[in-house]
């Protein structure tokens, strides 16, 4: 077909990229209860503490 543009694929497989959502870690019972941005920070508050409670969520509102 003369004069028509060819439509080519951009190389994408058509799969959606997963957008990483921020994770929050709430320490309910531990050395210093609170909400932390990383697992390492939260883990420091619960390691070695008997009966410690920690929860992960993608929404800060669920942790309050």
């Amino acid at each position: 077909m003369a004069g028509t543009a060819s439509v080519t694929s951009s190389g994408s497989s058509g799969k959606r990229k997963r957008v990483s959502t921020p994770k929050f870690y709430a320490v309910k019972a531990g050395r210093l209860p609170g909400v932390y941005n990383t697992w390492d920070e939260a883990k420091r508050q619960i390691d070695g503490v008997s009966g410690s409670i920690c929860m992960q969520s993608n929404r800060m509102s669920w942790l309050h």
Side-chain angles (χ1 to χ4, degrees), residues 34-52:
V35 179
Y36 297 89
N37 293 318
T38 67
W39 170 242
D40 288 335
E41 291 174 321
K43 191 172 185 315
R44 280 186 242 134
Q45 303 306 319
I46 62 172
D47 273 352
V49 178
S50 179
S52 60

Side-chain angles (χ1 to χ4, degrees), residues 1 3 9 15 18 22 24 27-29 33 36 42 45 50 63:
M1 293 185 180
S9 173
K15 292 183 181 179
R18 186 174 211 177
F24 302 99
V27 175
K28 185 173 182 179
Y36 297 89
Q45 303 306 319
S50 179
L63 300 176

Side-chain angles (χ1 to χ4, degrees), residues 8-20:
T8 59
S9 173
S10 63
S12 174
S13 64
K15 292 183 181 179
R16 289 185 176 181
K17 287 187 178 182
R18 186 174 211 177
V19 176
S20 66

